């Protein structure tokens, strides 16, 4: 009895506490005619205001200034004609995230952002800025995210982002940047994209950014990374694909101990030397579309955490012992190389391999009959010259052996095919005989989805 009184009392107290807790206050949209020509979307935390195709900033000022008790969660100004942001452009407006996009913006005055002291995100993209509007930053002490993507910016001066002490994300994608001064990027940065610019070199601009976690340099003309990555001890993701890197100095990655994802695809690498050895935490590596001809025995030494390796589109003629350290690899892509043979001995280290793509090489024979590749489920062999194969891959669910040189095969060649679901056999020069017909009947009985089976006449009874 006593217990239940206590319980009831507790329940009432808890209820009272819950009721008394202030209800969350969301930004509320005003009546549409009040903010015309802008419009408001009310979706609780996602509420915000859009001004599309507006002819001048004064119009926006008149409809939104002094109108709200809470900051506008986001304000999108799109496809408008705003050639410049004059001093006090956002007076009497409090905004958390401001986007000005596709609006012909060319010039930002020194005091343009006065009043936006709480701004957390600023996006000025698909505009016509030729330089970083450095002098305008000073009120933006709380800005965390800045995008100046898709403008016409040519260079980044040493002082470009001074006055942004909280900046964590900086996106400069799609400009024409060819020059960057050393020391231009704030030490607070965690995310930096310089993708799709005109950079020939980094000029010491990204080294020693102690908080940087993601760096995107894809689609530039960078030829060397030597000495440029020092001190990036927190970097997790680095994309430098689509550049013109030929060589990797042996100690360029020594500080990148946190790196998990590295994309060096679409460069001009002929070798990786032993540069990758410090990357003990790397899980994803792409070297696709380079000029690699050989892999050394120690190229991937210490990459024991690696799960996905993309070597597609190179000139590799052999694998040899290069993969022997990759005991955690799950996916290996070797499509579009020049492999003529591939022996079981070259792959047997890959105990965890699930997906193997060997399509578009020059393989004639493939024997994968040992026990060590027991996890393999998907095997792609399209576009080789395979005349015969034999596998014992108990878990294989998908096999593509289309466009090879197969005249016949027997279902024993597939080993235990209980798990097989998809088999692509298109484009082979089949020779029909009873044996082949039986093989297909057996596959059909196992409910394998066969594509491109030869049309053979029914065997005479
Ligand atoms: C801001 O609001 C004040 C009154 O609250 C007004 O005097 C001032 O003109 C406004 N400024 C602009 C630029 O609209
Ligand atoms: C490299 O930095 C120096 C000094 O900051 C600068 O004068 C030069 O223009 C920069 N060069 C490039 C290619 O970024
Ligand atoms: C490497 O990975 C391990 C396991 O995920 C983690 O504990 C360790 O902190 C990582 N090392 C670095 C330098 O990030
Ligand atoms: C690679 O691993 C070996 C031994 O496992 C170690 O001696 C060597 O220092 C490592 N190399 C790098 C660059 O971390
Ligand atoms: C291998 O890489 C190529 C691109 O080079 C891609 O088209 C293909 O889908 C990849 N294979 C697998 C199994 O992911
Ligand atoms: C494949 O091998 C043939 C000779 O068997 C050769 O003529 C051809 O150039 C090779 N193709 C590639 C892509 O290596």
């Amino acid at each position: 009895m006593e217990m239940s009184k206590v319980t009831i009392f507790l329940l009432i107290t808890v209820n009272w506490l819950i009721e008394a807790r202030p209800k969350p206050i969301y930004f509320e949209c005003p009546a549409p005619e009040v903010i015309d020509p802008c419009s408001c979307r009310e979706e609780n935390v996602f509420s915000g205001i859009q001004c599309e195709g507006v002819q001048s900033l004064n119009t926006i000022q008149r409809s939104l200034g002094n109108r709200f008790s809470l900051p506008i969660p986001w304000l999108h100004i799109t496809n408008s004609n705003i050639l410049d942001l004059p001093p006090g452009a956002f007076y009497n407006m409090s905004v958390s995230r401001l986007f000005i996009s596709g609006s012909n913006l060319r010039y930002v005055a020194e005091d343009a952002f006065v009043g936006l002291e709480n701004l957390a995100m600023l996006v000025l993209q698909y505009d016509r800025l030729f330089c970083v509007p450095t002098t305008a930053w000073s009120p933006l002490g709380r800005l965390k995210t800045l995008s100046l993507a898709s403008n016409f910016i040519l260079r980044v001066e040493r002082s470009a982002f001074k006055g942004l002490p909280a900046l964590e994300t900086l996106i400069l994608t799609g400009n024409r940047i060819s020059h960057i001064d050393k020391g231009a990027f704030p030490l607070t940065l965690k995310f930096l994209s310089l993708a799709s610019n005109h950079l020939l070199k980094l000029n010491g601009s990204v080294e020693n950014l102690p908080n940087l976690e993601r760096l995107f340099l894809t689609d530039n003309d960078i030829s060397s990374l030597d000495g440029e990555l020092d001190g990036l001890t927190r970097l997790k993701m680095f994309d430098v694909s689509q550049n013109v890197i030929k060589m990797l100095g042996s100690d360029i990655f020594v500080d990148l101990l946190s790196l998990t994802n590295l994309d060096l695809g679409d460069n001009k690498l002929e070798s990786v030397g032993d540069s990758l050895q410090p990357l003990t935490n790397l899980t994803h590596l792409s070297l696709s579309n380079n000029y690699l001809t050989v892999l050394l025995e120690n190229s991937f030494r210490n990459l024991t955490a690696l799960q996905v390796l993309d070597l597609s589109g190179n000139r590799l003629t052999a694998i040899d012992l290069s993969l022997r350290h990759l005991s955690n690899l799950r996916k290996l892509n070797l499509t579009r190389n020049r492999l003529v043979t591939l022996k079981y001995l070259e792959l047997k280290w890959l105990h965890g391999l699930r997906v193997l793509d060997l399509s578009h090489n020059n393989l004639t024979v493939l024997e994968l009959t040992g026990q060590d590749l027991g996890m393999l489920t998907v095997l792609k062999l399209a576009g080789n010259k395979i005349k015969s194969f034999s596998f014992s891959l108990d878990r294989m669910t998908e096999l593509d052996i289309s466009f090879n040189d197969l005249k016949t095969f027997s279902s024993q060649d597939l080993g235990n095919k209980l798990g097989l679901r998809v088999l692509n056999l298109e484009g082979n020069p089949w020779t029909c005989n009873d044996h082949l017909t039986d093989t297909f009947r057996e596959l059909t009985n196992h409910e394998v989805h066969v594509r491109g089976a030869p049309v053979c006449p029914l065997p005479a009874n």
Side-chain angles (χ1 to χ4, degrees), residues 155-156 158 178-183 199-205:
R155 59 183 304 148
V156 179
R158 193 178 157 81
S178 59
H179 284 73
I180 305 181
D181 290 347
K182 190 170 174 154
L199 290 171
L200 300 176
K201 56 180 182 171
L202 291 167
N203 211 16
S205 61

Side-chain angles (χ1 to χ4, degrees), residues 87-118:
F90 300 94
Y91 262 166
N92 298 339
M93 264 189 245
S94 171
V95 182
S96 302
R97 302 176 194 84
L98 174 62
F99 300 74
I100 302 179
S101 141
S103 295
N104 288 316
L105 184 64
R106 281 155 209 258
Y107 174 72
V108 180
E110 188 172 335
D111 293 329
F113 299 125
V114 170
L116 294 181
E117 281 73 15
N118 288 317

Side-chain angles (χ1 to χ4, degrees), residues 16-68:
W16 176 81
L17 279 172
I18 291 172
E19 303 260 297
R21 206 175 50 183
K23 289 206 163 52
I25 308 163
Y26 296 119
F27 178 80
E28 278 173 33
C29 285
E33 61 276 12
V34 177
I35 56 164
D36 184 71
C38 302
S39 58
C40 185
R41 275 216 330 253
E42 194 165 64
E43 291 159 32
N44 291 340
V45 282
F46 303 113
S47 305
I49 291 182
Q50 171 135 19
C51 305
E52 167 128 32
V54 177
Q55 279 315 304
S56 92
L57 207 60
N58 285 339
T59 322
I60 296 176
Q61 199 36 275
R62 240 177 290 122
S63 21
L64 305 182
N66 283 325
R67 185 83 59 199
F68 307 101

Side-chain angles (χ1 to χ4, degrees), residues 329-346:
L329 201 67
R330 291 162 154 263
K331 183 168 173 179
L332 173 61
N333 197 334
L334 280 162
T335 187
R336 292 184 293 105
N337 275 280
R338 295 178 181 176
L339 299 173
V340 179
T341 63
L342 189 63
K343 297 190 197 74
Y344 174 70
L345 287 177
E346 295 171 280

Side-chain angles (χ1 to χ4, degrees), residues 317 337-340 360-362 364 385:
T317 52
N337 275 280
R338 295 178 181 176
L339 299 173
V340 179
H360 307 291
N361 277 279
N362 231 347
T364 50
K385 300 203 171 97

Side-chain angles (χ1 to χ4, degrees), residues 125-351:
Q125 66 184 6
Y126 296 103
D127 282 310
R128 290 168 180 270
L129 297 170
F130 281 84
C131 47
V132 177
T134 307
T135 53
W137 298 147
S138 59
L140 306 180
R142 301 215 174 132
L143 196 73
K144 279 195 163 167
T145 301
L146 173 63
S147 170
L148 300 171
S150 301
N151 280 280
F152 299 108
I153 296 166
L154 300 168
R155 59 183 304 148
V156 179
E157 316 266 355
R158 193 178 157 81
S159 59
F161 303 102
K162 295 281 176 299
L164 297 173
L167 198 65
E168 291 181 356
T169 298
L170 177 59
I171 300 170
L172 295 169
T173 312
N175 280 280
R176 297 179 181 177
I177 298 167
S178 59
H179 284 73
I180 305 181
D181 290 347
K182 190 170 174 154
F185 298 120
L187 300 180
T188 45
L189 279 192
K190 290 185 175 171
F191 182 118
L192 173 61
S193 174
L194 289 160
S196 300
N197 275 285
H198 296 178
L199 290 171
L200 300 176
K201 56 180 182 171
L202 291 167
N203 211 16
S205 61
V206 302
E207 63 178 357
N208 293 315
L209 292 175
N211 296 301
L212 197 65
E213 291 176 5
R214 290 159 189 245
L215 176 59
F216 293 86
L217 298 174
T218 189
D219 186 20
N220 278 282
D221 294 306
I222 297 167
S223 58
S224 168
L225 295 171
D226 289 1
E228 298 285 5
L229 307 174
D230 294 352
L232 299 179
T233 51
R234 298 241 173 110
L235 196 66
K236 289 197 168 76
M237 192 174 279
F238 181 33
D239 184 348
V240 66
S241 59
Q242 297 180 57
N243 279 281
V244 291
I245 300 167
K246 278 201 178 116
M247 300 248 294
L248 300 171
S250 62
D251 50 6
I252 62 171
F253 296 129
V254 284
D255 287 345
L256 275 55
L257 300 176
S258 306
L259 200 70
T260 57
N261 292 58
L262 174 60
D263 193 341
L264 286 160
D266 295 278
N267 275 282
K268 296 187 186 299
L269 290 170
E270 288 168 17
S271 155
V272 293
D274 48 11
S275 62
L276 302 171
Q277 286 190 19
L279 303 176
T280 49
N281 267 13
L282 201 65
T283 58
H284 292 69
L285 171 62
S286 173
L287 290 162
S288 74
N289 299 328
N290 277 281
Y291 300 147
L292 301 175
T293 50
V294 284
L295 297 170
L296 304 177
E297 189 177 332
N298 281 332
S299 293
F300 302 129
R301 182 174 176 180
N302 296 358
L303 301 195
T304 47
L306 200 64
Q307 294 174 16
V308 176
L309 175 59
D310 188 349
L311 290 165
S312 62
N314 280 282
R315 297 170 179 181
L316 296 170
T317 52
I319 295 301
D320 297 329
L321 293 175
S322 61
L323 305 180
R324 70 186 178 129
H325 305 281
L326 306 181
S327 51
N328 284 307
L329 201 67
R330 291 162 154 263
K331 183 168 173 179
L332 173 61
N333 197 334
L334 280 162
T335 187
R336 292 184 293 105
N337 275 280
R338 295 178 181 176
L339 299 173
V340 179
T341 63
L342 189 63
K343 297 190 197 74
Y344 174 70
L345 287 177
E346 295 171 280
L347 295 176
K348 69 167 189 173
W349 330 98
L350 309 177
H351 304 302

